[in-house]
Amino acid sequence: MGLPERLVSKRGSRLARLALMPFNISIPAAVEIGKDFRLVHYGFGTIILPEVTIGDRVRIYHQVTVGRKDAHLTRDQSDFERIVIGDDVVLFPGCKVLGGPGVTTIGNGTMIGANAVLLTSTGENEIWAGNPARLVGHRKDL
């Protein structure tokens, strides 16, 4: 576990949140994170909303945003509930996972390609890429 992951695990502490600032990482204490979470390349520029659940063995690269697609609305006007990221998911550099109404789910083993903009839920072991992201294949390595 590297320094950013250790700081994220202690993000309930004001000191840990301040120490994450040079990495430009914003992962609120309300985010539920499973075991063996990794921020690859230190996770520089990673932004995650509080209403997110992250499964086990998830890898997040730099410049990833996990948020809601109706950010122009106030939270009380939004139908967004939360985003659930399954186990063994990989979010590659620059991808954006933007949840819509209700719960958006990223299935176990899914990979979201670099700079993809995902606006919908996914199945398990899928590969999504593009803007807007579309299903381009299935993982066979799990």
Side-chain angles (χ1 to χ4, degrees), residues 69-82:
K69 62 183 170 185
D70 62 359
H72 62 285
L73 299 175
T74 61
R75 287 185 189 248
D76 62 330
Q77 294 174 321
S78 175
D79 291 331
F80 170 82
E81 289 179 35
R82 70 183 301 98

Side-chain angles (χ1 to χ4, degrees), residues 78-99:
S78 175
D79 291 331
F80 170 82
E81 289 179 35
R82 70 183 301 98
I83 296 173
V84 177
I85 299 173
D87 298 338
D88 303 304
V89 169
V90 182
L91 303 178
F92 283 102
C95 79
K96 310 301 180 229
V97 177
L98 304 176

Side-chain angles (χ1 to χ4, degrees), residues 110-113 116 118 120-123 126-130 133-137:
T110 292
M111 298 169 79
I112 311 299
L118 183 72
T120 186
S121 291
T122 74
E126 295 179 343
I127 302 169
W128 287 71
R134 64 189 192 295
L135 179 64
V136 296

Side-chain angles (χ1 to χ4, degrees), residues 33-113:
I33 300 176
K35 298 179 300 200
D36 300 323
F37 173 71
R38 285 194 52 215
L39 288 168
V40 183
H41 302 302
Y42 304 107
F44 282 105
T46 297
I47 309 295
I48 299 178
L49 274 186
E51 300 89 0
V52 175
T53 301
I54 298 173
D56 297 336
R57 298 170 303 282
V58 171
R59 287 183 290 161
I60 297 180
Y61 284 75
H62 53 284
Q63 297 295 322
V64 169
T65 298
V66 180
R68 57 187 180 102
K69 62 183 170 185
D70 62 359
H72 62 285
L73 299 175
T74 61
R75 287 185 189 248
D76 62 330
Q77 294 174 321
S78 175
D79 291 331
F80 170 82
E81 289 179 35
R82 70 183 301 98
I83 296 173
V84 177
I85 299 173
D87 298 338
D88 303 304
V89 169
V90 182
L91 303 178
F92 283 102
C95 79
K96 310 301 180 229
V97 177
L98 304 176
V103 177
T104 300
T105 303
I106 309 304
N108 293 336
T110 292
M111 298 169 79
I112 311 299

Side-chain angles (χ1 to χ4, degrees), residues 5-46:
E5 290 93 350
R6 283 196 295 266
L7 291 170
V8 167
S9 72
K10 298 178 185 326
R11 68 195 178 284
S13 152
R14 183 173 187 273
L15 185 58
R17 286 192 308 272
L18 289 172
L20 283 167
M21 289 178 78
F23 294 104
N24 203 19
I25 294 173
S26 177
I27 303 177
V31 175
E32 299 171 31
I33 300 176
K35 298 179 300 200
D36 300 323
F37 173 71
R38 285 194 52 215
L39 288 168
V40 183
H41 302 302
Y42 304 107
F44 282 105
T46 297

